[in-house]
Each structure stands twice: as C-alpha cells, then as structure tokens.
Amino acid sequence: VRDVEIDPEGTFKYILVRLQRPGGEEQRDIVRGTKAAEFHNHIFEKVNPEMEKLGYECKCLGGGKIDHNSKDKKIRVFGLSTGYGKADHSVTVEILKKVYTDYEITWSDDKK
C-alpha cells in the first residue's frame, strides 16, 4: 500500500486514513486526495473497500485540502473536512515528505 496517492497538480480535498490489521497492533497512516472528490467521504468510500480487500481496517482521521504545485515543487496542506474534522496536518506533511523528498511542504490552519 502506497503512503501517498494524490493528484499531480491543483488544489483538492484529502483525507488522512489509519490502516490496521484486524486484531493487530501495527498501524500506519496514509494520505489520499483527488480533485475527483466533491466531498471528503467520496475519497473514503473509494479507499475503504480497496483496503478491506487487502485485509486492513480503515479509519478516517480527518481531512483538509492540498495545494499541489508540481512545477515549483511545493505542497501546501490546509483547511478541514466538515464531515471528518481537521486532519493532523503535521502528520500529513511528514507522510508527504517521505514521497516528495525534494519538495517544500508546509501546512497551516488556514481555511483557504
């Protein structure tokens, strides 16, 4: 399971999802975001069955928005999900840094 699956460009909704094997202690968090999702729960409704097939239980830890500028190699994480609440953007940024190693990645509690 990849740590991050986000659109290559633009501003879009994202969610932070915790994966866990049923009865297992090991947990890991993944980031998913796409312009195709009108609401945060649309992302979760896609991710959850995919992860269940692989034997994981999913829990949405919250959401927000990502502004991805691939030309300038910048990612900004901000905002919140009305349905799931605000994700811990500092956790999201740490996960993004593992994948986008040469990017400037920042976060804020700004709504826009």
Side-chain angles (χ1 to χ4, degrees), residues 5-77:
E5 283 182 14
I6 61 171
D7 286 355
E9 190 68 44
T11 302
F12 46 85
K13 291 178 167 62
Y14 92 90
I15 58 172
L16 186 61
V17 180
R18 175 154 292 158
L19 302 182
Q20 189 169 0
R21 296 270 184 211
E25 302 224 345
E26 189 189 329
Q27 297 178 333
R28 66 184 271 234
D29 297 340
I30 60 171
V31 176
R32 295 292 183 266
T34 177
K35 279 185 252 189
E38 190 181 349
F39 299 106
H40 289 89
N41 63 313
H42 294 164
I43 305 170
F44 189 72
E45 285 164 9
K46 184 178 177 291
V47 172
N48 196 32
E50 289 173 9
M51 296 304 138
E52 282 180 344
K53 275 187 209 144
L54 298 172
Y56 289 103
E57 291 173 342
C58 288
K59 179 181 174 196
C60 184
L61 301 177
K65 286 188 172 178
I66 289 176
D67 183 14
H68 188 172
N69 182 333
S70 53
K71 187 168 75 66
D72 293 341
K73 295 194 182 254
K74 288 184 178 179
I75 294 177
R76 186 169 70 100
V77 182

Side-chain angles (χ1 to χ4, degrees), residues 80-100:
L80 54 88
S81 160
T82 315
Y84 295 122
K86 184 175 89 69
D88 185 337
H89 296 329
S90 64
V91 171
T92 302
V93 166
E94 289 311 308
I95 296 169
L96 289 168
K97 281 180 177 173
K98 287 193 242 171
V99 178
Y100 296 95

